[in-house]
Structure formats: C-alpha cells, structure tokens
Amino acid sequence: DAGVTQSPTHLIKTRGQHVTLRCSPISGHKSVSWYQQVLGQGPQFIFQYYEKEERGRGNFPDRFSARQFPNYSSELNVNALLLGDSALYLCASIIAGHTTDTQYFGPGTRLTVL
Amino acid sequence: RKEVEQDPGPFNVPEGATVAFNCTYSNSASQSFFWYRQDCRKEPKLLMSVYSSGNEDGRFTAQLNRASQYISLLIRDSKLSDSATYLCVALLSGGSYIPTFGRGTSLIVHP
C-alpha cells in the first residue's frame, strides 16, 4: 500500500514568489494536516482538512492557504515568500481527523527561499 | 511560555541504559497525547499514544499526569537504534483539531 506522498521533494524559490505543495493521503484516509518544521524545532501545525472542509488552523499568516480535493489530496499554497518560510513542510494523513486518530506523515517537501 | 515544552537534550546514554523524557503542557484542555520519533532528516513516526492509565509497548512506557500536566516516556535497555529525536504532541479537545508539538528531545545511544 502506498503511504503518504508529497511533491516536490525539494524546492528553491526567491523572496516574493509563491509556491504550491502537494500531498496525497493514504488510501481510505479522509483528512490531511499540514505542518511547517524549521531546523531544531518541532512541527508547527498550519491546517487540517477533513472532507474538503477546514477543521483546524494554526497561527500562520493569511499568506498560507490550503484546500482539499474530492479525492482527498491536498495543496498548500504560500504567497509572497519570505526567507523565514524556508523549512520542511510535512503533510499528515489521518483516517477521520479525530483527536485520537494516528497521524501518518509524508516525507515532506524541503523549501528553501533565497 | 510555550504550550508544549521539552528539554532539547541531547541525552547521551550508553547501550542498555534506561532513560526518561518529560514533556509539560500548559493548556489543561488538552485531551490526547502522543509520542513521535523523528530520525535525522526524516518524517516523524508515531511511537505510542499516551493514556491516563499509562501504556507500555515493549521497552517503551508512556505515562500521563493530568494533575501536574506532563507526559513522560521511559525507554529501557536502550539500543543504538533508539538514537533519534522524540517529539511529544498534545491535542485540544473539542471540534477544532489543533495539535501542538514540542521541539523534541534528542537521544544519542552510544556503544
């Protein structure tokens, strides 16, 4: 069975540009969460989506947005990139999005903003 | 004060040692707790959920102390392969799903 897939694996952008990151959850999972992890820190929660609806939002500016598609895949968009957006972006697949559900993380997209 | 706090370490222990990590959380409405393991430049992977009654999985034991608002992870008979960063996670109860990770505790097990 395929696990969580994310694309691209690495990305280099310049300040001011925008970026779209993609995630496909485990088959049968209906919920996806997005995280930002900077070096030396734990993952910081950005969004959770369940059945195409936003279920949770972390403390991130409006430059960050996301959506979930009917096939449960998801995109994270970041506009007007800043140097501080350089991080590993992780997607987690959750079967139903309940607080007791296990999250399965994808390998992440490493974004570098120059 | 951070919502979930962990000692970043590193904890440097010999093989066979017993090591314990604590993680404190500030929001008493936190309902669900987990320990994740993250290897260098890899994604986090679930190690175990944490229940009020405590739970054990082989060499690993997790405990929750709601009165003092901390969770713990005990690793017995440490192996070289246990070297990793251990992340604790707290989730609030209610309709919104907002998990908070600690910054992680680094463990190095040496021969």
Side-chain angles (χ1 to χ4, degrees):
Chain A
D1 283 344
V4 183
T5 59
Q6 291 187 247
S7 62
T9 54
H10 296 84
L11 202 53
I12 298 175
K13 292 284 190 178
T14 56
R15 281 177 296 176
Q17 288 188 310
H18 74 272
V19 68
T20 297
L21 310 181
R22 295 177 175 84
C23 171
S24 291
I26 294 168
S27 177
H29 286 199
K30 298 182 178 180
S31 182
V32 166
S33 286
W34 286 97
Y35 294 84
Q36 180 195 68
Q37 187 175 25
V38 300
L39 198 61
Q41 299 294 322
Q44 296 297 305
F45 174 73
I46 310 175
F47 289 110
Q48 193 215 14
Y49 276 78
Y50 173 69
E51 292 275 14
K52 298 178 290 180
E53 298 290 326
E54 183 184 297
R55 284 268 301 274
R57 173 185 282 257
N59 189 23
F60 278 80
D62 292 343
R63 299 185 296 110
F64 289 77
S65 64
R67 55 180 176 166
Q68 187 177 31
F69 299 100
N71 67 353
Y72 305 114
S73 67
S74 178
E75 284 182 353
L76 175 70
N77 295 283
V78 187
N79 293 325
L81 285 167
L82 304 174
L83 295 179
D85 294 332
S86 295
L88 178 68
Y89 287 84
L90 294 161
C91 169
S93 174
I94 311 157
I95 190 164
H98 300 139
T99 55
T100 52
D101 289 343
T102 298
Q103 296 187 85
Y104 298 90
F105 284 88
T109 293
R110 195 164 295 279
L111 173 65
T112 302
V113 182
L114 302 176
Chain B
R1 182 185 173 189
K2 292 197 172 190
E3 291 185 41
V4 176
E5 293 204 60
Q6 294 184 254
D7 179 347
F11 284 63
N12 210 317
V13 303
E15 271 185 292
T18 295
V19 62
F21 310 134
N22 278 346
C23 169
T24 59
Y25 60 95
S26 60
N27 194 329
S28 58
S30 298
Q31 183 181 48
S32 302
F33 305 90
F34 304 87
W35 283 102
Y36 279 78
R37 170 197 169 124
Q38 187 171 27
D39 293 295
C40 188
R41 301 187 73 82
K42 296 283 190 180
E43 71 272 23
K45 293 186 177 176
L46 179 70
L47 183 63
M48 57 201 311
S49 304
V50 188
Y51 306 117
S52 295
S53 55
N55 48 308
E56 187 174 313
D57 183 3
R59 299 181 292 109
F60 298 84
T61 301
Q63 295 276 355
L64 165 63
N65 185 317
R66 287 194 184 273
S68 301
Q69 293 186 201
Y70 75 86
I71 64 173
S72 63
L73 178 68
L74 181 77
I75 305 175
R76 290 180 297 278
D77 188 23
S78 298
K79 311 291 185 190
L80 296 176
S81 57
D82 293 334
S83 298
T85 295
Y86 291 84
L87 299 157
C88 69
V89 189
L91 275 85
L92 294 171
S93 59
S96 294
Y97 183 99
I98 302 181
T100 304
F101 277 77
R103 65 176 294 180
T105 297
S106 176
L107 172 66
I108 300 170
V109 181
H110 58 84

